[in-house]
């Protein structure tokens, strides 16, 4: 993708003057500066700088944080910002992030040092959230602008933004409006000061006018470049997640350590089995230990051949592949009960190559402790000596191996090193089972399992279990025991309404993870009108957060009312409406997700421990990392490593993991990525000014929702 960068290269004479070097004869060799690939992030403790820090953390981009609220923080002066290494001038930071355009007192020596540094080394500055004012290239909002909420407003990327750092977006930048009673997005909308060199990249209509006001724009002045952001945000909000990639692209010039992509994978558990159905009269699921059924068991929920046709057609139309997580005993039982007939299994086996397949154990047995289900909640059985009675190694072996054999006999294209246990059992489950079944790890070794699924709501961090490494999965809040929209809404009401409203009171008892509904949902419309939009927003939030963890649903969600599809459509169609074809969703299988998470964790630890150094001199990027650690980076298209193309194309750049690990790695930038810097035509020093009070409004209560899910 061609990018228009509104900068001009420094002349040789201007570069010499900017770096304070002595001019020599015209033919003398010029020493190019070394620019370290590290960001300086100056924080005031606000949500905007915290959001940018979170983006850098997730991507694996090194940064140094200076917290202005902390006593004893380092002083930002010339020595803090630059020095000389091996006779070569060194800029210690490739970009500067400030909480606003000038967070220091009037006449601050620190702001002067930063401004001089930015001019000398062509280092850009991001104003994470600033008041619209002439010092930032904008008119005060009182002069035909706007100050206030942008909840529900759809901003737009400008032509300059699409040609520049936000070229991965189709144009629309919707601002969230999740609650009619909570202000979520505060902004200043304004136009540029007359004569200012200001280019809006993202803008929105100024209420009551026909004008557009800038929300994100580039201000060039006094030999410096600033990205001026005039709306407040936190790391979870969609508008920030849409723009965060472009903010990093702009401030690093597209050359930085770390990488970000948008991932989505969906596991469908219990395939071939049947799932128990929610009883709308008993408000429980017959078969569960807490459900006493005196009125007959509702029919179980199981897919049909028509559902397989629907799934394959849906996949084809969305260019997306589902992961079917299967229990072979479900088909064996079906054939036993129906004179050898299982039309669902016949259809799935015939269409097996349309899907990815994952072992879910043969019978979906619980593989942790032996459960005492005579009490509610259940407890672990104990041995005579009081120790926990565990499911045996041989029983776990049998569940894994038998299902694998069944899958291979039916020609399923399996990766034998992947496993999802029933209910993620065998792993710790609080409060009843605070440790893993000690027989689990040996059984995993017996069966060559390297990747083991865990429930992100219980066990979110990747960890090692014997020979295996966990892959946390997000539970989608579409219940496994509901086949129709009315059943889903009825169970949702039971969980998420107060006792006074006829609910279970779970939401009252667990306020940290659930929020009570203000009133019960209409069971005829509640699923489509309330649950689907909420779950879509949560899942799309994961996608936009550079988070590769898979989501999981159940086979029951693909039949009868086919409840999963409205959510999946919302995520995929919503994504397609926002991003260009250069930024496709990355749909990985489980082991590849595990590998990505594992690499990230190793890389993140090395970065946080100061074991990674990277810098750019001209068109050469040098990375030094500990032995055995692959480095991750984002570079311009055409970058090479050892003469071979580096990375893969994504969002108009190239990114990925280096092909070698540890030691000193060298990347060569393409000739089109020649160093650029602000024009050296303006040498006046920006006048010091006292920053007006911004009257910033921090988004209230907008955080990641942790859904409550019944046992699955």
């Amino acid at each position: 993708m061609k990018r228009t960068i509104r900068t001009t290269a420094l002349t040789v004479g201007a570069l010499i003057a900017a770096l304070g070097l002595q001019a020599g004869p015209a033919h003398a060799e010029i020493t190019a500066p070394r620019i370290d690939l590290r960001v300086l992030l100056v924080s005031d403790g606000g949500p905007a700088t915290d959001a940018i820090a979170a983006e850098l953390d997730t991507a694996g981009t090194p940064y140094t944080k200076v917290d202005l609220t902390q006593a004893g923080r380092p002083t930002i002066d010339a020595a803090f910002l630059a020095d000389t290494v091996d006779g070569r001038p060194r800029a210690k930071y490739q970009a500067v992030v400030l909480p606003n355009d000038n967070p220091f007192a009037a006449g601050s020596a620190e702001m002067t040092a930063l401004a001089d540094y930015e001019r000398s080394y062509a280092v850009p500055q991001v104003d994470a959230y600033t008041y619209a004012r002439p010092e930032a290239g904008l008119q005060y909002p009182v002069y035909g602008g706007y100050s206030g909420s942008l909840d529900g407003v759809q901003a737009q990327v400008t032509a300059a933004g699409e040609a520049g750092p936000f070229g991965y977006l189709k144009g629309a930048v919707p601002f969230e409006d999740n609650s009619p009673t909570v202000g979520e997005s505060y902004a200043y909308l304004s136009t540029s000061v007359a004569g200012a060199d200001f280019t809006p990249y993202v803008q929105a209509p100024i209420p009551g006018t026909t004008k557009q006001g800038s929300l994100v724009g580039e201000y060039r002045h006094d030999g410096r470049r600033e990205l001026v952001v005039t709306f407040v945000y936190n790391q979870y909000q969609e508008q920030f997640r849409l723009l965060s990639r472009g903010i990093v692209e702009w401030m690093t010039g597209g050359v930085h350590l770390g990488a970000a992509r948008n991932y989505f994978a969906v596991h469908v558990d219990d395939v071939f089995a049947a799932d128990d159905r929610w009883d709308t009269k008993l408000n429980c699921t017959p078969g569960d230990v807490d459900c006493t059924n005196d009125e007959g068991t509702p029919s179980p929920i199981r897919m049909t051949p028509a559902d397989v046709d629907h799934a394959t057609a849906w996949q084809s139309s969305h260019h997306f592949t589902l992961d079917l997580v299967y229990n072979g005993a479900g088909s064996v039982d079906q054939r036993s009960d129906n004179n050898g007939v299982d039309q669902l299994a016949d259809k799935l086996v015939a269409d097996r190559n349309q899907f990815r397949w994952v072992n879910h154990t043969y019978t979906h047995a619980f593989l942790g402790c032996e459960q005492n289900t005579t009490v509610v909640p259940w407890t672990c059985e104990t041995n005579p000596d009081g120790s926990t009675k565990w499911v045996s190694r041989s029983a776990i072996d049998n569940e894994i191996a038998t299902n694998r054999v069944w899958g291979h006999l039916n020609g399923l294209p399996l990766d034998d090193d992947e496993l999802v246990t029933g209910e993620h059992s065998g792993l710790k489950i609080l409060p009843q089972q605070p440790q893993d079944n000690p027989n689990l790890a040996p059984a995993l070794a017996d069966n060559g399992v390297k990747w083991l699924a865990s429930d992100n709501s219980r066990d979110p961090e990747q960890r090692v279990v014997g020979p295996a490494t966990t892959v946390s999965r997000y539970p989608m809040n579409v219940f496994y025991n509901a086949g129709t929209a009315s059943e889903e809404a009825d169970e949702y009401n039971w969980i998420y309404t107060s006792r006074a409203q006829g609910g279970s009171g779970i939401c009252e008892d667990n306020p940290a993870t659930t929020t009570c509904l203000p009133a019960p949902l209409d069971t005829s419309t509640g699923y489509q009108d309330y649950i689907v939009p909420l779950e879509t927003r949560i899942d799309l939030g994961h996608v936009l957060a550079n988070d590769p963890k898979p989501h999981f649903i159940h086979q029951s969600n693909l039949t009868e009312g086919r409840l999963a599809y409205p959510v999946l459509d919302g995520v995929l169609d919503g994504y397609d409406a926002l991003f260009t074809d250069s930024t496709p969703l990355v749909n990985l299988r489980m082991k590849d997700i595990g590998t990505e998470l594992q690499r990230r964790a190793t890389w993140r630890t090395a970065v946080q421990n100061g074991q990674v150094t990277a810098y750019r001199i001209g068109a050469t990027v040098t990375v030094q990392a500990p032995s055995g650690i692959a480095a991750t980076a984002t570079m311009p298209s055409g970058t090479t490593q050892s003469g071979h193309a580096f990375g893969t194309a994504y969002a108009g750049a190239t990114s990925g993991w280096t092909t070698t690990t540890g030691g000193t790695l060298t990347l060569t930038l393409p000739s089109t990525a020649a160093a650029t810097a602000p024009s050296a035509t303006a040498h006046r020093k920006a006048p010091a000014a006292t920053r007006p009070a911004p009257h910033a409004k921090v988004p209230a209560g907008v955080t990641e929702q942790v859904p409550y899910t019944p046992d699955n």
Side-chain angles (χ1 to χ4, degrees):
M1 182 193 325
K2 183 177 180 182
R3 297 196 181 281
T4 302
I5 302 176
R6 302 182 67 256
T7 58
T8 56
L10 280 172
T11 64
V12 170
L15 180 60
I16 292 173
L19 299 180
L21 304 176
Q22 178 159 353
H27 62 274
E29 182 179 350
I30 303 302
T31 301
R34 164 178 158 167
I35 310 295
D36 282 7
L37 301 190
R38 174 172 286 270
V39 174
L40 174 61
L41 189 139
V42 181
S43 171
D44 62 355
T49 49
D50 283 353
I52 294 176
E55 176 70 15
L56 299 176
D57 279 328
T58 303
T61 303
Y63 66 95
T64 295
K65 181 177 179 179
V66 175
D67 189 341
L68 298 178
T69 67
Q70 294 297 312
R73 67 170 179 84
T75 300
I76 300 173
D77 56 18
F80 180 81
L81 298 167
D83 59 9
T84 301
V85 175
D86 298 330
R88 186 185 300 275
R90 175 177 72 147
K92 297 180 182 179
Y93 309 100
Q94 67 180 136
V96 174
V97 177
L98 299 182
N100 50 65
D101 65 291
N102 184 352
F104 304 98
S108 164
E110 290 184 291
M111 192 66 228
T112 299
L114 278 169
D116 289 344
Y117 172 74
E118 292 168 10
R119 276 190 293 269
S120 296
Y121 291 96
V123 170
Q125 173 183 309
V126 173
D127 305 334
Y129 167 54
T130 196
Y131 183 68
R133 63 181 190 139
E135 289 82 356
L138 295 168
Q139 295 277 10
Y140 291 118
V142 293
Y143 299 126
Y146 171 77
S147 301
S149 173
L150 284 191
D151 291 6
V153 169
Q154 181 158 291
Q156 193 76 21
V157 178
T158 66
E162 290 179 350
F166 301 102
Y168 56 91
L169 294 174
K170 284 185 176 178
V173 182
F175 275 60
E176 291 184 351
D177 186 15
N178 301 318
S179 171
T181 61
V182 176
E184 300 162 31
S185 305
Y186 195 91
Y188 304 106
L189 291 173
S190 185
T191 56
S192 60
V193 173
D197 187 355
F198 191 98
T199 303
Y201 288 147
V202 181
Q203 56 189 16
I206 297 175
T209 76
T210 58
K211 297 183 296 183
Q212 296 283 322
S214 178
L215 289 167
V216 182
E218 180 177 333
Y219 179 39
R220 292 165 44 84
H221 65 105
D222 195 27
R224 299 165 58 212
R225 298 166 60 225
E226 294 181 47
L227 192 71
V228 180
V229 183
T230 57
F231 70 96
V232 70
Y233 47 88
N234 69 33
Q235 62 178 296
Y236 300 108
Q237 291 182 295
E238 182 175 303
Q239 55 266 32
F240 170 72
R241 285 176 163 169
L242 290 172
L243 298 174
S244 57
R245 176 187 298 276
I247 293 172
V248 174
E249 167 81 10
W250 182 90
M251 70 182 182
T252 62
V255 179
H256 62 88
L257 295 181
R261 300 198 174 198
N262 298 331
Y263 300 86
F264 193 46
V266 178
H267 292 187
V268 184
D269 288 8
D270 303 352
V271 171
F272 297 120
D275 288 299
D276 294 330
R277 189 185 302 271
W278 173 256
D279 191 310
T280 58
K281 295 180 179 179
L282 297 175
N283 289 321
C284 60
T285 306
D288 286 355
V289 298
D290 60 349
C291 190
T292 302
N293 179 25
D294 296 323
E295 302 179 15
T297 302
S299 60
I301 309 166
R302 190 173 190 257
M303 289 176 65
T304 68
D307 297 321
V308 180
D309 286 334
H310 186 89
T312 55
W314 179 88
Q315 286 189 150
S316 178
S317 66
H318 287 82
H319 308 289
F320 189 84
T321 301
L322 297 168
D323 294 85
L324 302 190
V325 187
Y326 75 97
N327 308 104
S331 177
V332 173
D333 291 344
Q334 180 72 12
R335 294 190 190 280
S336 176
D337 294 340
N338 293 274
N339 298 316
V341 175
D342 185 1
Q343 295 179 346
L344 171 63
D346 293 343
K347 181 63 175 174
L348 280 169
V349 169
D351 292 349
R352 58 189 176 275
N353 292 323
Q354 302 296 315
F355 306 96
R356 293 190 292 251
W357 294 85
V358 184
N359 188 346
H360 195 28
T361 71
Y362 189 58
T363 69
H364 200 280
F366 189 84
L367 303 181
C369 63
E370 296 282 359
Q371 293 176 296
N372 173 15
T373 59
T374 63
V375 294
V376 178
W378 61 266
T379 60
C380 287
E381 296 274 12
T382 57
N383 294 308
D385 63 359
S387 61
T388 301
K389 188 175 183 180
W390 298 104
V391 173
S392 69
R393 175 176 175 174
S394 61
I396 300 173
D397 276 340
N398 185 65
E399 281 289 324
I400 299 170
T402 305
N403 204 50
R404 177 185 294 167
V405 169
W406 188 94
H408 285 308
L409 288 175
N410 284 277
L412 302 185
L414 296 175
D415 270 336
D416 287 346
D417 55 2
E418 299 175 333
L419 177 69
V420 181
T421 57
E423 299 181 52
H424 302 98
S425 59
L427 296 173
K428 60 183 180 182
I429 299 176
L430 297 176
Q432 296 103 316
Q433 185 191 312
Q435 68 180 94
D436 298 340
N437 182 344
N439 296 318
L440 177 64
L444 298 177
D446 295 340
N447 289 278
V449 175
K450 296 180 181 178
W451 303 105
L452 177 66
S454 65
D455 186 334
N456 192 75
S457 63
R458 302 174 187 160
D459 203 356
E461 298 302 322
Q462 192 172 44
R463 61 189 182 91
V464 172
V465 182
T469 302
T470 60
V471 178
S472 297
R473 307 189 304 165
Y474 286 111
M476 292 177 66
N477 218 9
V478 182
F479 301 138
Y480 81 98
N481 52 354
T484 66
S486 61
E487 290 170 351
E488 177 80 16
D490 184 87
E491 184 175 2
Y492 205 90
N493 285 339
W494 175 249
I495 295 171
Y496 291 106
T497 57
S498 66
R499 292 181 180 87
Q501 294 173 321
S504 63
I506 290 174
C507 57
E508 297 167 292
D509 299 338
N510 299 276
T513 57
T514 58
T515 302
C516 285
L517 292 168
L521 301 176
D522 185 325
T523 56
S524 63
T525 60
Y527 181 66
Q528 191 64 42
D529 293 349
Y530 181 87
I531 300 173
V532 168
L534 175 59
E535 187 60 29
T536 299
R537 175 171 62 83
I538 292 170
D539 298 338
L540 185 58
H542 298 153
V543 170
L544 302 183
N546 186 22
D547 189 345
K549 292 178 181 177
H551 296 71
F552 72 95
I553 55 176
H554 295 80
Q555 63 84 32
S556 53
N557 303 140
L558 302 186
T559 188
E560 297 188 15
R562 295 174 177 164
L563 300 179
Y565 290 109
V567 176
L568 299 181
D569 288 342
V571 173
L572 296 178
D573 295 344
Y575 184 89
D576 287 345
L578 296 169
F579 290 89
T580 64
D581 291 342
S582 72
T583 315
L585 269 178
V586 181
N587 176 221
L588 301 179
R589 73 171 303 131
M590 183 171 153
K591 70 174 185 179
D592 296 323
I593 294 170
T595 299
E596 175 69 17
L597 292 170
Q598 193 174 58
R599 282 176 165 177
R600 287 189 191 190
T602 302
W603 173 255
R604 186 183 305 114
T605 298
V607 168
Q608 292 174 346
N609 290 342
Q611 297 174 295
V612 175
T613 301
Y615 55 88
R616 173 182 179 178
I617 299 175
T620 301
V621 172
T622 302
V623 183
Q624 296 170 328
S627 176
I629 294 180
T632 179
T634 299
M635 298 286 153
S637 298
T639 297
T640 59
Q641 180 190 353
S642 302
H644 301 285
F646 165 74
T648 54
Y650 196 79
T654 185
S655 57
W657 296 92
T658 55
T659 55
T660 55
T661 59
T664 299
L665 311 174
T666 301
L667 300 173
T668 303
L669 304 178
S671 58
T672 53
T676 57
S679 171
T681 56
H683 294 285
R684 65 178 179 84
K685 187 170 290 187
T690 301
R691 183 177 185 274
H695 308 296
K697 187 174 184 181
V698 176
V702 183
T703 58
E704 189 81 86
Q705 176 172 337
V706 181
Y708 170 86
T709 55
D711 289 340
N712 42 40

